[in-house]
Amino acid sequence: MLWVAGLGLLATVDPDTDFTVTGTAPAIMGLALGFTMPTTLDALLSSLPADQVGGGSALNSMRQIGVSVGVAVLGSSLNSAHRNNVDDDIPGALPEQAQKAIRDTVAGALQVAEKLPAAQAGGIADSARDAFVAGMSTVSLICAGLAAVTAVVVVAPLPACDKIPLRTEPPASKARAESATP
């Protein structure tokens, strides 16, 4: 739930948000990953028989493919939100290439704004920043929602810890002694 909290905090930022918030949100998310990823991988691999650990490790690498797809989808969502929020503030008198640069990225919008009179430049720069932050907030909320649903789906079917029997395997020396007995 730390991950959800970090994403929720990140979703509250605006262009004037101070670094305390914008630095704290990724730190919380980093803590969440640090606590869960090694533990999860260890639990996954230690629950498998020795002859299946390689397959379990390979299956875990599929997570990286999921991350890549997720980044692509969320990046597209961010771009779409940015374009939708910045479109209304683009002056129609600007050349098409400048309008495209404003729609494409915040950096492009800021470059265009540098070349315009101060009155127009400030409006375009502010609009681009606002549009980016609105898109980032939308993506953060989507991620927080997906993370919360995933946590419920993963945790709900787990048995209570006191009901899980410990796996008892005989020590290697006892197993060898039993197999040597006729």
Side-chain angles (χ1 to χ4, degrees):
M1 295 317 283
L2 277 175
W3 184 254
V4 175
L7 286 165
L9 184 59
L10 194 59
T12 67
V13 303
D14 62 38
D16 299 322
T17 300
D18 143 294
F19 181 72
T20 307
V21 175
T22 58
T24 302
I28 291 170
M29 292 166 22
L31 278 172
L33 286 177
F35 287 143
T36 59
M37 294 306 287
T39 307
T40 303
L41 183 58
D42 184 50
L44 171 76
L45 295 179
S46 66
S47 69
L48 296 173
D51 63 330
Q52 294 179 358
V53 170
S57 182
L59 186 59
N60 181 56
S61 68
M62 293 298 289
R63 175 185 52 83
Q64 293 174 339
I65 293 171
V67 167
S68 298
V69 171
V71 166
V73 169
L74 294 171
S76 294
S77 298
L78 173 61
N79 189 335
S80 176
H82 169 78
R83 284 176 181 251
N84 290 340
N85 288 318
V86 82
D87 267 346
D88 294 339
D89 297 326
I90 298 174
L94 288 177
E96 187 60 37
Q97 185 176 2
Q99 291 183 29
K100 181 181 179 332
I102 293 169
R103 278 187 198 96
D104 285 348
T105 64
V106 175
L110 296 177
Q111 287 176 348
V112 170
E114 285 177 0
K115 299 173 185 164
L116 296 174
Q120 269 189 324
I124 289 174
D126 288 345
S127 175
R129 287 185 187 108
D130 290 344
F132 177 79
V133 171
M136 186 182 68
S137 292
T138 300
V139 167
S140 295
L141 287 173
I142 291 169
C143 289
L146 290 172
V149 168
T150 301
V152 169
V153 167
V154 168
V155 172
L158 291 177
C161 290
D162 60 341
K163 294 180 184 175
I164 299 173
L166 295 175
R167 183 169 51 172
T168 55
E169 294 181 18
S173 59
K174 184 178 177 184
R176 273 186 259 133
E178 288 176 359
S179 64
T181 315

